[in-house]
Amino acid sequence: MPLIGNRLGWLNSGLFWRTFFLLAFLIAASIMAWVASFRIVERTPRAQQMAAQVISIVTITRAALTHSAPDLRRELLFDLASNEGIRIYPLERSDVVEPPPDSGLMPVLESTVKGRLGQDTKFAGRVNDVGGFWVSFKIDDDQYWLRLDRERIEGVSSIQWLGLATTTLVLSLLGAVFISRLINLPLARITTATRRIAKGQTPDPLPEKGPAEIREANRSFNQMVADLARVESDRAVILAGISHDLRTPLARMQLEVEMAGLDDDARRGMQSDLSQMDEIIGQFLEFAKPSDKVQAASVDLTALMSECAHEAARLPDVRITSNIADNVNVFGNATDLRRVINNLIENARRYGKTPDSGETAIDIACKTQGNQAIVEIADSGPGVPESEIERLLRPFTRLDTARGQANGAGLGLAIVERIVKRHHGSLKLSNIPTGGLRIRISIPVTGTLG
């Protein structure tokens, strides 16, 4: 049963296929039921119609032979065979007779014909290895066979029924595809719009037309998008106020610390605290900065990363190893990409220190792979528990082991991920088997910024 469930699991992957197969099953079952019911209902009338045809042919043929001149009977038989497909043979005791094929029509047909032509009427499907529909009749004391082509008796064959049912089924399946697409189109539009919201983009308004349920859903979704845009705008205004209201007192406090008569340790401690507060405010403002008006151009990623590596190498507690390929270019915003690299280097410097030496060894690599620019930054620290890697990318998240030494708001990696997604790239975190954390960024070498 699990194997069957795995094989049929793809049916649950999309509402379109589920709707299509349910409609197809319903249509196919309806067609089969209709065909079966029709054949049952029309069996008796069709058998009686065929019997009336046989009775009429036998009666007219017998009358023609009875009343024709003896010297003209041979010519009459030839005309019946060539023009009407009716052949007359004498019935002999030595004839090898095979019964007609068994079908639901034969009992009714035989009963009706015998009721009119006599109970001694015989039927055969093959006489002396000659196929057809054979029926016997008498002229005086002589018995004869009358043979008709089977096509005149059988009517619609099973193959014809199958062809008709197949054609109807194919047309019905095409209709099911159209209906399924029509039903799932509004849901597909909402899904596409939702994905754009997840990427930080503003989707186009959904059409508020169609059935009442669709209109109400689209109207509610459009209202939600408008509310989110208003909340985003309000947040930008609030954070702009924070920049003005907090950074001015912070600057005044820094000036007062410099002028106050404090000993060196107290002054350095207070300056460090004020610097941390200023950095936290900066992270808030960077995380909330709108991204729809960022200018993009071709960026020399090789030169940009070389500059970042050179600046990081000047730090006293960092050892940089770089492997940066030449002529790596991407389409994006140079300021945002520089912020990404600096954030990752700073993150590695803070939390990737080697326990023995207290120094951070950072490996910086950049190369082109296919149509992607690959950036890797790795440290040799303790790494991150596997269960916490995904959580690290969430805003305002720091590991418990880093809280004591953290001087940020837990937005560094969230800001990096947002910028990378804006460049249509991907961000992946993984532990190094020998120790440390590796961050891999993949960005298209060409494209658009959005």
Side-chain angles (χ1 to χ4, degrees):
M1 292 299 294
L3 180 60
I4 296 177
N6 293 334
R7 289 180 177 177
L8 298 180
W10 65 276
L11 293 176
N12 297 325
S13 60
L15 183 60
F16 172 82
W17 288 110
R18 187 183 302 180
T19 305
F20 170 76
F21 279 106
L22 287 177
L23 286 174
F25 173 77
L26 178 61
I27 293 172
S30 300
I31 291 175
M32 289 188 291
W34 177 83
V35 170
S37 301
F38 180 79
R39 297 195 68 176
I40 292 174
V41 170
E42 61 92 36
R43 179 179 299 168
T44 299
R46 186 153 65 95
Q48 292 175 346
Q49 181 182 8
M50 293 164 56
Q53 182 181 6
V54 171
I55 293 169
S56 176
I57 293 173
V58 171
T59 302
I60 294 174
T61 302
R62 182 168 55 188
L65 292 175
T66 301
H67 296 90
S68 63
D71 57 339
L72 297 178
R73 286 182 180 177
R74 182 179 297 274
E75 185 177 350
L76 175 61
L77 292 175
F78 178 78
D79 289 341
L80 288 174
S82 59
N83 296 330
E84 302 297 333
I86 302 172
R87 294 169 176 82
I88 307 299
Y89 302 91
L91 191 153
E92 306 289 346
R93 293 183 180 272
S94 59
D95 290 339
V96 179
V97 179
E98 296 182 14
D102 187 18
S103 68
L105 301 176
M106 288 307 299
V108 179
L109 188 148
E110 291 181 4
S111 175
T112 305
V113 172
K114 287 181 178 181
R116 295 287 301 274
L117 300 182
Q119 295 299 318
D120 57 349
T121 304
K122 300 176 183 178
F123 299 89
R126 184 177 292 272
V127 176
N128 299 327
D129 291 331
V130 179
F133 181 82
W134 298 73
V135 59
S136 68
F137 67 94
K138 298 173 69 174
I139 298 178
D140 298 330
D141 293 331
D142 299 324
Q143 289 190 328
Y144 298 89
W145 284 113
L146 184 147
R147 184 173 74 87
L148 299 172
D149 293 333
R150 183 166 296 277
E151 290 75 12
R152 299 182 62 174
I153 301 300
E154 289 184 344
V156 181
S157 64
S158 299
I159 299 299
Q160 291 173 315
W161 278 112
L162 180 61
L164 178 62
T166 302
T167 302
T168 306
L169 180 60
V170 170
L171 294 177
S172 300
L173 292 180
L174 293 177
V177 171
F178 175 76
I179 294 173
S180 299
R181 289 182 61 86
L182 190 63
I183 292 176
N184 289 283
L185 181 60
L187 183 59
R189 287 173 176 166
I190 292 180
T191 302
T192 302
T194 304
R195 287 174 179 169
R196 295 200 62 182
I197 290 179
K199 293 179 180 179
Q201 303 171 352
T202 301
D204 297 329
L206 297 177
E208 298 179 8
K209 59 183 180 180
E213 295 81 359
I214 300 299
R215 290 200 308 271
E216 183 62 28
N218 289 357
R219 187 180 299 113
S220 300
F221 185 87
N222 292 337
Q223 182 63 44
M224 182 194 70
V225 172
D227 292 343
L228 289 176
R230 185 169 58 254
V231 169
E232 185 72 19
S233 176
D234 294 343
R235 183 178 67 169
V237 173
I238 292 174
L239 290 178
I242 291 177
S243 174
H244 179 271
D245 295 341
L246 291 183
R247 279 190 163 168
T248 300
L250 281 178
R252 189 166 55 246
M253 291 174 65
Q254 289 176 344
L255 180 61
E256 291 174 354
V257 168
E258 291 291 339
M259 300 180 63
L262 302 174
D263 59 77
D264 293 341
D265 291 339
R267 179 179 291 106
R268 282 194 295 271
M270 294 185 67
Q271 288 176 340
S272 176
D273 291 340
L274 292 174
S275 177
Q276 291 181 25
M277 294 173 64
D278 186 68
E279 184 175 351
I280 290 173
I281 293 173
Q283 287 188 350
F284 273 106
L285 293 175
E286 176 60 33
F287 182 75
K289 185 177 68 174
S291 59
D292 54 350
K293 298 182 180 180
V294 177
Q295 295 182 351
S298 179
V299 178
D300 186 349
L301 195 58
T302 298
L304 187 148
M305 292 198 63
S306 298
E307 293 176 6
C308 292
H310 179 71
E311 294 174 359
R314 298 165 56 185
L315 299 174
D317 55 347
V318 172
R319 186 175 72 255
I320 298 294
T321 302
S322 62
N323 182 15
I324 302 174
D326 296 330
N327 300 320
V328 180
N329 296 277
V330 297
F331 187 83
N333 183 269
T335 302
D336 284 349
L337 293 175
R338 184 183 297 274
R339 183 176 293 111
V340 166
I341 304 303
N342 288 334
N343 276 8
L344 295 180
I345 292 176
E346 180 65 18
N347 188 78
R349 185 186 71 82
R350 290 179 180 175
Y351 310 123
K353 295 183 182 296
T354 304
D356 298 336
S357 63
E359 187 181 51
T360 304
I362 302 177
D363 295 330
I364 300 176
C366 177
K367 61 182 179 180
T368 301
Q369 184 174 331
N371 62 344
Q372 299 285 320
I374 307 299
V375 175
E376 290 187 352
I377 296 180
D379 60 61
S380 57
V384 176
E386 294 291 338
S387 60
E388 300 289 341
I389 287 181
E390 184 178 354
R391 194 170 68 90
L392 272 181
L393 299 177
R394 300 175 185 173
F396 310 105
T397 298
R398 295 195 304 263
L399 294 183
D400 293 338
T401 57
R403 285 177 182 170
Q405 57 177 321
N407 54 2
L411 290 172
L413 289 179
I415 293 173
V416 168
E417 184 184 35
R418 173 173 290 190
I419 295 175
V420 170
K421 285 186 175 180
R422 193 185 307 158
H423 287 75
H424 304 288
S426 61
L427 176 68
K428 181 180 179 181
L429 280 65
S430 61
N431 284 313
I432 302 174
T434 57
L437 181 69
R438 176 184 289 110
I439 300 179
R440 177 186 175 96
I441 297 175
S442 176
I443 300 177
V445 294
T446 59
T448 59
L449 190 64

